[in-house]
Amino acid sequence: QKEVEQNSGPLSVPEGAIASLNCTYSDRGSQSFFWYRQYSGKSPELIMSIYSNGDKEDGRFTAQLNKASQYVSLLIRDSQPSDSATYLCAVLNSGNTPLVFGKGTRLSVIA
Amino acid sequence: ETGVTQSPTHLIKTRGQQVTLRCSSQSGHNTVSWYQQALGQGPQFIFQYYREEENGRGNFPPRFSGLQFPNYSSELNVNALELDDSALYLCASSLGQGGGYTFGSGTRLTVV
């Protein structure tokens, strides 16, 4: 069974610090990787996608992918209280397989 | 360009009843996926429709069924509701079967 694992948290960081969120996946055939942010009671919002090994930066967000280790991470620099949310890691194989989500990591940024 | 819209936003049903949830996909998107998200859990895949055909299904019983229409909008039907069906139901659309998903705002279903 294809699985995506995340620490549930909560992960607490002070305002201005770097938040590091981690995710591992079981399916070596996975090709596309996504990070979603979900505020309480709201739907997931796509914040980053990554498809090849290495780093991808977008503003304060950096996604890192290591396919050999089956590991993907999200770094949030200069964390703000508004970043407090649950972050969902999602993985996609090829073809018509569905997007598989982890349970999410709850991040709390303390002002 | 409109996003993904879902209706209704909230719904309360009694155990044993039936419910229909609706989703309009983002303009140009031909694939719709439905997810169930229980409190404190990640979204769980229910099924996916591509060009009006179901082409993937998760571990949900047959009382969960769906449709996709020619305009790519979709319905999720749940029969014989159980208390454990209480969850946030999410619809996501994408262009093709390998792209990023755009989620609607969800339908909060409460079964009492």
Side-chain angles (χ1 to χ4, degrees):
Chain A
Q1 183 172 350
K2 300 169 185 175
E3 294 183 347
V4 178
E5 299 287 341
Q6 297 181 255
N7 288 326
S8 60
L11 173 65
S12 294
V13 299
E15 183 176 358
I18 296 175
S20 178
L21 305 163
N22 304 315
C23 171
T24 58
Y25 59 94
S26 63
D27 183 3
R28 285 197 169 273
S30 301
Q31 298 188 2
S32 305
F33 306 86
F34 305 91
W35 284 99
Y36 285 82
R37 178 176 61 199
Q38 187 174 28
Y39 292 112
S40 181
K42 303 297 185 182
S43 64
E45 172 194 10
L46 180 65
I47 54 172
M48 289 288 288
S49 59
I50 188 166
Y51 304 97
S52 56
N53 281 330
D55 295 358
K56 179 182 178 182
E57 184 175 322
D58 183 1
R60 295 187 296 113
F61 299 98
T62 299
Q64 299 174 317
L65 175 61
N66 184 326
K67 289 186 178 180
S69 300
Q70 296 175 243
Y71 176 89
V72 58
S73 65
L74 178 70
L75 301 178
I76 306 174
R77 289 181 301 282
D78 188 24
S79 295
Q80 301 297 309
S82 59
D83 294 327
S84 298
T86 295
Y87 289 80
L88 297 163
C89 174
V91 174
L92 188 66
N93 201 313
S94 60
N96 64 354
T97 57
L99 194 59
V100 179
F101 285 86
K103 291 185 176 181
T105 298
R106 189 155 57 92
L107 173 66
S108 179
V109 180
I110 311 301
Chain B
E1 178 180 279
T2 58
V4 180
T5 59
Q6 291 187 244
S7 63
T9 55
H10 295 85
L11 202 53
I12 300 176
K13 288 287 190 178
T14 302
R15 188 172 49 183
Q17 285 188 312
Q18 178 267 344
V19 68
T20 297
L21 310 182
R22 295 179 174 83
C23 171
S24 294
S25 61
Q26 183 167 321
S27 177
H29 285 186
N30 54 19
T31 302
V32 172
S33 303
W34 285 92
Y35 286 81
Q36 180 196 66
Q37 187 176 25
L39 199 61
Q41 301 296 314
Q44 295 295 310
F45 175 69
I46 302 175
F47 44 58
Q48 180 180 86
Y49 281 86
Y50 173 65
R51 294 186 175 178
E52 302 178 60
E53 297 287 331
E54 183 182 300
N55 71 342
R57 189 178 182 91
N59 293 324
F60 281 82
R63 59 190 185 85
F64 286 77
S65 63
L67 284 173
Q68 187 179 33
F69 300 100
N71 66 355
Y72 302 135
S73 66
S74 179
E75 287 183 353
L76 164 65
N77 300 290
V78 187
N79 294 321
L81 283 167
E82 301 177 358
L83 297 179
D84 285 349
D85 296 333
S86 296
L88 179 67
Y89 287 84
L90 296 163
C91 168
S93 74
S94 62
L95 179 60
Q97 301 167 78
Y101 289 23
T102 300
F103 281 89
S105 57
T107 295
R108 173 72 62 187
L109 173 65
T110 302
V111 182
V112 297

mmCIF file with all atom_site columns, all heavy atoms in Angstrom, chain A residues 29-43:
data_model
loop_
_atom_site.group_PDB
_atom_site.id
_atom_site.type_symbol
_atom_site.label_atom_id
_atom_site.label_alt_id
_atom_site.label_comp_id
_atom_site.label_asym_id
_atom_site.label_entity_id
_atom_site.label_seq_id
_atom_site.pdbx_PDB_ins_code
_atom_site.Cartn_x
_atom_site.Cartn_y
_atom_site.Cartn_z
_atom_site.occupancy
_atom_site.B_iso_or_equiv
_atom_site.pdbx_formal_charge
_atom_site.auth_seq_id
_atom_site.auth_comp_id
_atom_site.auth_asym_id
_atom_site.auth_atom_id
_atom_site.pdbx_PDB_model_num
ATOM 1   N N   . GLY A 1 29 ? 7.989   4.586  -7.353  1.00 0.00 ? 29 GLY A N   1
ATOM 2   C CA  . GLY A 1 29 ? 7.551   5.066  -8.655  1.00 0.00 ? 29 GLY A CA  1
ATOM 3   C C   . GLY A 1 29 ? 6.968   6.462  -8.637  1.00 0.00 ? 29 GLY A C   1
ATOM 4   O O   . GLY A 1 29 ? 6.571   6.991  -9.675  1.00 0.00 ? 29 GLY A O   1
ATOM 5   N N   . SER A 1 30 ? 6.907   7.075  -7.477  1.00 0.00 ? 30 SER A N   1
ATOM 6   C CA  . SER A 1 30 ? 6.333   8.417  -7.356  1.00 0.00 ? 30 SER A CA  1
ATOM 7   C C   . SER A 1 30 ? 7.144   9.416  -8.156  1.00 0.00 ? 30 SER A C   1
ATOM 8   O O   . SER A 1 30 ? 8.377   9.369  -8.176  1.00 0.00 ? 30 SER A O   1
ATOM 9   C CB  . SER A 1 30 ? 6.284   8.844  -5.891  1.00 0.00 ? 30 SER A CB  1
ATOM 10  O OG  . SER A 1 30 ? 5.503   7.948  -5.134  1.00 0.00 ? 30 SER A OG  1
ATOM 11  N N   . GLN A 1 31 ? 6.435   10.320 -8.820  1.00 0.00 ? 31 GLN A N   1
ATOM 12  C CA  . GLN A 1 31 ? 7.107   11.239 -9.721  1.00 0.00 ? 31 GLN A CA  1
ATOM 13  C C   . GLN A 1 31 ? 6.845   12.707 -9.415  1.00 0.00 ? 31 GLN A C   1
ATOM 14  O O   . GLN A 1 31 ? 7.612   13.567 -9.828  1.00 0.00 ? 31 GLN A O   1
ATOM 15  C CB  . GLN A 1 31 ? 6.680   10.952 -11.162 1.00 0.00 ? 31 GLN A CB  1
ATOM 16  C CG  . GLN A 1 31 ? 7.050   9.565  -11.625 1.00 0.00 ? 31 GLN A CG  1
ATOM 17  C CD  . GLN A 1 31 ? 6.786   9.367  -13.109 1.00 0.00 ? 31 GLN A CD  1
ATOM 18  O OE1 . GLN A 1 31 ? 6.360   10.283 -13.795 1.00 0.00 ? 31 GLN A OE1 1
ATOM 19  N NE2 . GLN A 1 31 ? 7.045   8.172  -13.589 1.00 0.00 ? 31 GLN A NE2 1
ATOM 20  N N   . SER A 1 32 ? 5.737   12.983 -8.736  1.00 0.00 ? 32 SER A N   1
ATOM 21  C CA  . SER A 1 32 ? 5.376   14.376 -8.485  1.00 0.00 ? 32 SER A CA  1
ATOM 22  C C   . SER A 1 32 ? 5.077   14.532 -7.004  1.00 0.00 ? 32 SER A C   1
ATOM 23  O O   . SER A 1 32 ? 4.450   13.657 -6.400  1.00 0.00 ? 32 SER A O   1
ATOM 24  C CB  . SER A 1 32 ? 4.147   14.772 -9.311  1.00 0.00 ? 32 SER A CB  1
ATOM 25  O OG  . SER A 1 32 ? 4.361   14.525 -10.677 1.00 0.00 ? 32 SER A OG  1
ATOM 26  N N   . PHE A 1 33 ? 5.500   15.677 -6.464  1.00 0.00 ? 33 PHE A N   1
ATOM 27  C CA  . PHE A 1 33 ? 5.417   15.871 -5.021  1.00 0.00 ? 33 PHE A CA  1
ATOM 28  C C   . PHE A 1 33 ? 4.891   17.271 -4.747  1.00 0.00 ? 33 PHE A C   1
ATOM 29  O O   . PHE A 1 33 ? 5.310   18.236 -5.401  1.00 0.00 ? 33 PHE A O   1
ATOM 30  C CB  . PHE A 1 33 ? 6.807   15.678 -4.389  1.00 0.00 ? 33 PHE A CB  1
ATOM 31  C CG  . PHE A 1 33 ? 7.414   14.359 -4.765  1.00 0.00 ? 33 PHE A CG  1
ATOM 32  C CD1 . PHE A 1 33 ? 8.131   14.227 -5.951  1.00 0.00 ? 33 PHE A CD1 1
ATOM 33  C CD2 . PHE A 1 33 ? 7.229   13.246 -3.965  1.00 0.00 ? 33 PHE A CD2 1
ATOM 34  C CE1 . PHE A 1 33 ? 8.660   13.002 -6.328  1.00 0.00 ? 33 PHE A CE1 1
ATOM 35  C CE2 . PHE A 1 33 ? 7.758   12.022 -4.331  1.00 0.00 ? 33 PHE A CE2 1
ATOM 36  C CZ  . PHE A 1 33 ? 8.477   11.894 -5.516  1.00 0.00 ? 33 PHE A CZ  1
ATOM 37  N N   . PHE A 1 34 ? 3.984   17.347 -3.801  1.00 0.00 ? 34 PHE A N   1
ATOM 38  C CA  . PHE A 1 34 ? 3.296   18.609 -3.553  1.00 0.00 ? 34 PHE A CA  1
ATOM 39  C C   . PHE A 1 34 ? 3.228   18.895 -2.063  1.00 0.00 ? 34 PHE A C   1
ATOM 40  O O   . PHE A 1 34 ? 3.139   17.973 -1.242  1.00 0.00 ? 34 PHE A O   1
ATOM 41  C CB  . PHE A 1 34 ? 1.869   18.550 -4.109  1.00 0.00 ? 34 PHE A CB  1
ATOM 42  C CG  . PHE A 1 34 ? 1.791   18.173 -5.561  1.00 0.00 ? 34 PHE A CG  1
ATOM 43  C CD1 . PHE A 1 34 ? 1.662   16.839 -5.927  1.00 0.00 ? 34 PHE A CD1 1
ATOM 44  C CD2 . PHE A 1 34 ? 1.839   19.127 -6.553  1.00 0.00 ? 34 PHE A CD2 1
ATOM 45  C CE1 . PHE A 1 34 ? 1.597   16.467 -7.264  1.00 0.00 ? 34 PHE A CE1 1
ATOM 46  C CE2 . PHE A 1 34 ? 1.770   18.770 -7.892  1.00 0.00 ? 34 PHE A CE2 1
ATOM 47  C CZ  . PHE A 1 34 ? 1.655   17.434 -8.243  1.00 0.00 ? 34 PHE A CZ  1
ATOM 48  N N   . TRP A 1 35 ? 3.247   20.167 -1.731  1.00 0.00 ? 35 TRP A N   1
ATOM 49  C CA  . TRP A 1 35 ? 2.964   20.621 -0.373  1.00 0.00 ? 35 TRP A CA  1
ATOM 50  C C   . TRP A 1 35 ? 1.722   21.503 -0.413  1.00 0.00 ? 35 TRP A C   1
ATOM 51  O O   . TRP A 1 35 ? 1.643   22.447 -1.209  1.00 0.00 ? 35 TRP A O   1
ATOM 52  C CB  . TRP A 1 35 ? 4.139   21.399 0.209   1.00 0.00 ? 35 TRP A CB  1
ATOM 53  C CG  . TRP A 1 35 ? 5.272   20.528 0.649   1.00 0.00 ? 35 TRP A CG  1
ATOM 54  C CD1 . TRP A 1 35 ? 6.412   20.251 -0.036  1.00 0.00 ? 35 TRP A CD1 1
ATOM 55  C CD2 . TRP A 1 35 ? 5.360   19.812 1.894   1.00 0.00 ? 35 TRP A CD2 1
ATOM 56  N NE1 . TRP A 1 35 ? 7.204   19.398 0.693   1.00 0.00 ? 35 TRP A NE1 1
ATOM 57  C CE2 . TRP A 1 35 ? 6.594   19.116 1.878   1.00 0.00 ? 35 TRP A CE2 1
ATOM 58  C CE3 . TRP A 1 35 ? 4.534   19.688 3.020   1.00 0.00 ? 35 TRP A CE3 1
ATOM 59  C CZ2 . TRP A 1 35 ? 7.013   18.314 2.941   1.00 0.00 ? 35 TRP A CZ2 1
ATOM 60  C CZ3 . TRP A 1 35 ? 4.953   18.897 4.063   1.00 0.00 ? 35 TRP A CZ3 1
ATOM 61  C CH2 . TRP A 1 35 ? 6.178   18.221 4.023   1.00 0.00 ? 35 TRP A CH2 1
ATOM 62  N N   . TYR A 1 36 ? 0.780   21.158 0.459   1.00 0.00 ? 36 TYR A N   1
ATOM 63  C CA  . TYR A 1 36 ? -0.435  21.943 0.605   1.00 0.00 ? 36 TYR A CA  1
ATOM 64  C C   . TYR A 1 36 ? -0.475  22.528 2.011   1.00 0.00 ? 36 TYR A C   1
ATOM 65  O O   . TYR A 1 36 ? -0.049  21.899 2.981   1.00 0.00 ? 36 TYR A O   1
ATOM 66  C CB  . TYR A 1 36 ? -1.677  21.070 0.408   1.00 0.00 ? 36 TYR A CB  1
ATOM 67  C CG  . TYR A 1 36 ? -1.973  20.693 -1.028  1.00 0.00 ? 36 TYR A CG  1
ATOM 68  C CD1 . TYR A 1 36 ? -1.320  19.631 -1.647  1.00 0.00 ? 36 TYR A CD1 1
ATOM 69  C CD2 . TYR A 1 36 ? -2.916  21.404 -1.774  1.00 0.00 ? 36 TYR A CD2 1
ATOM 70  C CE1 . TYR A 1 36 ? -1.593  19.292 -2.956  1.00 0.00 ? 36 TYR A CE1 1
ATOM 71  C CE2 . TYR A 1 36 ? -3.195  21.063 -3.090  1.00 0.00 ? 36 TYR A CE2 1
ATOM 72  C CZ  . TYR A 1 36 ? -2.541  20.012 -3.678  1.00 0.00 ? 36 TYR A CZ  1
ATOM 73  O OH  . TYR A 1 36 ? -2.810  19.669 -4.972  1.00 0.00 ? 36 TYR A OH  1
ATOM 74  N N   . ARG A 1 37 ? -1.028  23.711 2.118   1.00 0.00 ? 37 ARG A N   1
ATOM 75  C CA  . ARG A 1 37 ? -1.281  24.340 3.409   1.00 0.00 ? 37 ARG A CA  1
ATOM 76  C C   . ARG A 1 37 ? -2.787  24.317 3.654   1.00 0.00 ? 37 ARG A C   1
ATOM 77  O O   . ARG A 1 37 ? -3.569  24.632 2.765   1.00 0.00 ? 37 ARG A O   1
ATOM 78  C CB  . ARG A 1 37 ? -0.782  25.795 3.399   1.00 0.00 ? 37 ARG A CB  1
ATOM 79  C CG  . ARG A 1 37 ? -1.037  26.586 4.668   1.00 0.00 ? 37 ARG A CG  1
ATOM 80  C CD  . ARG A 1 37 ? -0.417  27.978 4.559   1.00 0.00 ? 37 ARG A CD  1
ATOM 81  N NE  . ARG A 1 37 ? -0.995  28.742 3.467   1.00 0.00 ? 37 ARG A NE  1
ATOM 82  C CZ  . ARG A 1 37 ? -0.409  29.806 2.920   1.00 0.00 ? 37 ARG A CZ  1
ATOM 83  N NH1 . ARG A 1 37 ? 0.777   30.219 3.344   1.00 0.00 ? 37 ARG A NH1 1
ATOM 84  N NH2 . ARG A 1 37 ? -1.010  30.457 1.933   1.00 0.00 ? 37 ARG A NH2 1
ATOM 85  N N   . GLN A 1 38 ? -3.169  23.958 4.878   1.00 0.00 ? 38 GLN A N   1
ATOM 86  C CA  . GLN A 1 38 ? -4.589  23.890 5.208   1.00 0.00 ? 38 GLN A CA  1
ATOM 87  C C   . GLN A 1 38 ? -4.830  24.591 6.542   1.00 0.00 ? 38 GLN A C   1
ATOM 88  O O   . GLN A 1 38 ? -4.365  24.133 7.590   1.00 0.00 ? 38 GLN A O   1
ATOM 89  C CB  . GLN A 1 38 ? -5.071  22.433 5.273   1.00 0.00 ? 38 GLN A CB  1
ATOM 90  C CG  . GLN A 1 38 ? -6.574  22.313 5.455   1.00 0.00 ? 38 GLN A CG  1
ATOM 91  C CD  . GLN A 1 38 ? -7.060  20.875 5.377   1.00 0.00 ? 38 GLN A CD  1
ATOM 92  O OE1 . GLN A 1 38 ? -6.340  19.945 5.693   1.00 0.00 ? 38 GLN A OE1 1
ATOM 93  N NE2 . GLN A 1 38 ? -8.306  20.698 4.938   1.00 0.00 ? 38 GLN A NE2 1
ATOM 94  N N   . TYR A 1 39 ? -5.566  25.677 6.482   1.00 0.00 ? 39 TYR A N   1
ATOM 95  C CA  . TYR A 1 39 ? -5.994  26.354 7.697   1.00 0.00 ? 39 TYR A CA  1
ATOM 96  C C   . TYR A 1 39 ? -7.190  25.609 8.265   1.00 0.00 ? 39 TYR A C   1
ATOM 97  O O   . TYR A 1 39 ? -7.930  24.952 7.537   1.00 0.00 ? 39 TYR A O   1
ATOM 98  C CB  . TYR A 1 39 ? -6.360  27.804 7.410   1.00 0.00 ? 39 TYR A CB  1
ATOM 99  C CG  . TYR A 1 39 ? -5.171  28.669 7.018   1.00 0.00 ? 39 TYR A CG  1
ATOM 100 C CD1 . TYR A 1 39 ? -5.041  29.189 5.731   1.00 0.00 ? 39 TYR A CD1 1
ATOM 101 C CD2 . TYR A 1 39 ? -4.172  28.970 7.941   1.00 0.00 ? 39 TYR A CD2 1
ATOM 102 C CE1 . TYR A 1 39 ? -3.957  29.978 5.364   1.00 0.00 ? 39 TYR A CE1 1
ATOM 103 C CE2 . TYR A 1 39 ? -3.080  29.755 7.590   1.00 0.00 ? 39 TYR A CE2 1
ATOM 104 C CZ  . TYR A 1 39 ? -2.973  30.244 6.300   1.00 0.00 ? 39 TYR A CZ  1
ATOM 105 O OH  . TYR A 1 39 ? -1.893  31.023 5.951   1.00 0.00 ? 39 TYR A OH  1
ATOM 106 N N   . SER A 1 40 ? -7.364  25.720 9.571   1.00 0.00 ? 40 SER A N   1
ATOM 107 C CA  . SER A 1 40 ? -8.414  24.997 10.266  1.00 0.00 ? 40 SER A CA  1
ATOM 108 C C   . SER A 1 40 ? -9.785  25.260 9.647   1.00 0.00 ? 40 SER A C   1
ATOM 109 O O   . SER A 1 40 ? -10.191 26.414 9.474   1.00 0.00 ? 40 SER A O   1
ATOM 110 C CB  . SER A 1 40 ? -8.419  25.393 11.742  1.00 0.00 ? 40 SER A CB  1
ATOM 111 O OG  . SER A 1 40 ? -9.415  24.691 12.436  1.00 0.00 ? 40 SER A OG  1
ATOM 112 N N   . GLY A 1 41 ? -10.471 24.194 9.268   1.00 0.00 ? 41 GLY A N   1
ATOM 113 C CA  . GLY A 1 41 ? -11.812 24.307 8.704   1.00 0.00 ? 41 GLY A CA  1
ATOM 114 C C   . GLY A 1 41 ? -11.855 24.696 7.241   1.00 0.00 ? 41 GLY A C   1
ATOM 115 O O   . GLY A 1 41 ? -12.939 24.832 6.664   1.00 0.00 ? 41 GLY A O   1
ATOM 116 N N   . LYS A 1 42 ? -10.681 24.876 6.628   1.00 0.00 ? 42 LYS A N   1
ATOM 117 C CA  . LYS A 1 42 ? -10.611 25.274 5.217   1.00 0.00 ? 42 LYS A CA  1
ATOM 118 C C   . LYS A 1 42 ? -10.091 24.125 4.375   1.00 0.00 ? 42 LYS A C   1
ATOM 119 O O   . LYS A 1 42 ? -9.676  23.090 4.875   1.00 0.00 ? 42 LYS A O   1
ATOM 120 C CB  . LYS A 1 42 ? -9.708  26.500 5.059   1.00 0.00 ? 42 LYS A CB  1
ATOM 121 C CG  . LYS A 1 42 ? -10.126 27.703 5.891   1.00 0.00 ? 42 LYS A CG  1
ATOM 122 C CD  . LYS A 1 42 ? -11.484 28.216 5.471   1.00 0.00 ? 42 LYS A CD  1
ATOM 123 C CE  . LYS A 1 42 ? -11.839 29.484 6.233   1.00 0.00 ? 42 LYS A CE  1
ATOM 124 N NZ  . LYS A 1 42 ? -13.209 29.974 5.855   1.00 0.00 ? 42 LYS A NZ  1
ATOM 125 N N   . SER A 1 43 ? -10.111 24.324 3.056   1.00 0.00 ? 43 SER A N   1
ATOM 126 C CA  . SER A 1 43 ? -9.615  23.291 2.151   1.00 0.00 ? 43 SER A CA  1
ATOM 127 C C   . SER A 1 43 ? -8.124  23.479 1.896   1.00 0.00 ? 43 SER A C   1
ATOM 128 O O   . SER A 1 43 ? -7.574  24.562 2.124   1.00 0.00 ? 43 SER A O   1
ATOM 129 C CB  . SER A 1 43 ? -10.397 23.336 0.832   1.00 0.00 ? 43 SER A CB  1
ATOM 130 O OG  . SER A 1 43 ? -10.165 24.564 0.169   1.00 0.00 ? 43 SER A OG  1
#
